[in-house]
Amino acid sequence: MGKSRMEAFSDGVIAIIITIMVLELKVPHEATLEALLPLWPLFFAYVLSFVYVGIYWNNHHHLLQLAQKVDGRALWANLHLLFWLSLVPFMTNWLGEQHMAALPMALYGVVLLMSAIAYDLLVRSLVRLHGPQSALARAIGRDTKGWVSIVLYAVGVPLSLWQPLVGAAFYVGLALVWIRPDPRVERM
């Protein structure tokens, strides 16, 4: 089956996710810089989450540029990814409201970890559908960056329980690694 419906649905869900996140930002009642200071954890969480959702949207777009078709397995893998991404607004708000406390930071990391695993499953389902000699399979290759990222998210979760700011540094670092679109896919 064609990929256009999956692509359009994913774009719509991601747009809703971003909209929900921005609606959670509360406007201060005073017109002073001091009134903004208590909001910094929520704003930080929002910016980080916006970047992550943007990374997934960008990479999803590039991935589907190389895919010619989808099947039931790819549709379910895509829904699995969208499920985890749909939890980002909730985790963002909780993380910000709790001033980046240990448990919210760790569970934020779990959502990032599960999103990365879900994206990997989507990639694998599309590579399997298109075959090992396809342009998609050649572009993805061994996906060392993806696997290393999954491991680092898994390390970041317990580190967040020990020291939330160390976990946050892991998540920011991984976002910086992924902020540039995957050159392997762009070359194809």
Side-chain angles (χ1 to χ4, degrees):
M1 69 184 80
K3 62 181 181 175
S4 60
R5 288 197 66 203
M6 183 174 97
E7 202 167 16
F9 178 74
S10 300
D11 285 348
V13 170
I14 290 170
I16 291 168
I17 289 168
I18 288 173
T19 302
I20 291 169
M21 284 190 324
V22 77
L23 292 175
E24 292 297 326
L25 293 177
K26 305 298 182 219
V27 177
H29 295 292
E30 297 87 32
T32 64
L33 287 176
E34 292 81 25
L36 288 174
L37 285 178
L39 299 177
W40 80 264
L42 186 56
F43 187 72
F44 170 80
Y46 168 77
V47 170
L48 183 60
S49 295
F50 186 92
V51 167
Y52 265 108
V53 172
I55 288 167
Y56 277 104
W57 176 78
N58 199 330
N59 285 323
H60 189 271
H61 170 73
H62 282 93
L63 179 67
L64 290 180
Q65 290 301 306
L66 290 175
Q68 302 302 314
K69 58 189 174 184
V70 296
D71 61 2
R73 178 177 285 134
L75 291 173
W76 279 109
N78 193 64
L79 283 172
H80 183 229
L81 171 62
L82 293 176
F83 168 78
W84 289 105
L85 291 179
S86 74
L87 293 175
V88 170
F90 171 78
M91 293 308 306
T92 300
N93 195 38
W94 191 35
L95 181 61
E97 291 286 331
Q98 297 305 313
H99 295 266
M100 298 194 292
L103 183 60
M105 185 65 76
L107 292 179
Y108 183 84
V110 168
V111 169
L112 295 177
L113 170 64
M114 294 308 297
S115 296
I117 290 169
Y119 186 81
D120 181 69
L121 292 173
L122 174 61
V123 168
R124 290 180 182 286
S125 72
L126 289 171
V127 167
R128 183 177 180 181
L129 176 64
H130 289 81
Q133 301 307 317
S134 66
L136 176 62
R138 289 192 318 272
I140 298 301
R142 295 169 59 180
D143 196 23
T144 305
K145 183 177 169 183
W147 280 102
V148 169
S149 296
I150 289 171
V151 169
L152 290 176
Y153 286 124
V155 169
V157 170
L159 284 177
S160 295
L161 289 171
W162 169 67
Q163 184 56 256
L165 292 180
V166 173
F170 258 73
Y171 308 145
V172 168
L174 281 161
L176 292 174
V177 166
W178 283 99
I179 205 158
R180 180 173 174 249
D182 195 335
R184 301 168 302 175
V185 175
E186 285 197 325
R187 279 192 295 267
M188 300 303 279

